[in-house]
Amino acid sequence: MKKGIHPENYRKVAFKDMSNDQVFITRSTIATRETITIDGEEYPLVKLEITSASHPFFTGKQKLVDTAGRVDKFMSRYGNRGKK
């Protein structure tokens, strides 16, 4: 690998999934303004909207969307325009 192209300031950072409040700690160079205290230690905090802990693909809990209502609404608005 080339020397001098990788950052040197890796530190432990807490990432928090805001949809289910799960927190995991890993090393990162991301700049943050917020901090969180876990087990007596303070970590920089990065808030995430979705992670593998809350994504339907990984959790197996899929939400069904009412597509029939959307199709009916579309057909009632635009479906009859071609028939004259």
Side-chain angles (χ1 to χ4, degrees):
M1 293 186 349
K2 291 185 180 180
K3 295 189 184 281
I5 62 169
H6 298 285
E8 298 291 330
N9 59 344
Y10 282 100
R11 66 197 188 289
K12 290 184 178 180
V13 178
F15 290 86
K16 182 175 184 179
D17 186 343
M18 299 307 291
S19 62
N20 64 2
D21 292 332
Q22 186 172 0
V23 178
F24 61 93
I25 299 170
T26 187
R27 292 177 32 153
S28 179
T29 61
I30 192 166
T32 65
R33 293 185 178 147
E34 297 182 56
T35 60
I36 189 171
T37 303
I38 301 173
D39 296 333
E41 281 198 51
E42 191 169 334
Y43 298 99
L45 175 65
V46 178
K47 294 180 178 178
L48 303 171
E49 293 296 321
I50 193 163
T51 64
S52 61
S54 61
H55 193 279
F57 179 79
F58 296 105
T59 61
K61 299 177 183 175
Q62 302 239 349
K63 295 180 183 177
L64 296 175
V65 179
D66 178 26
T67 56
R70 292 181 185 177
V71 171
D72 292 339
K73 187 176 181 180
F74 177 83
M75 292 305 288
S76 68
R77 278 190 179 175
Y78 305 109
N80 297 329
R81 289 189 178 189
K83 299 178 184 176
K84 286 203 178 191

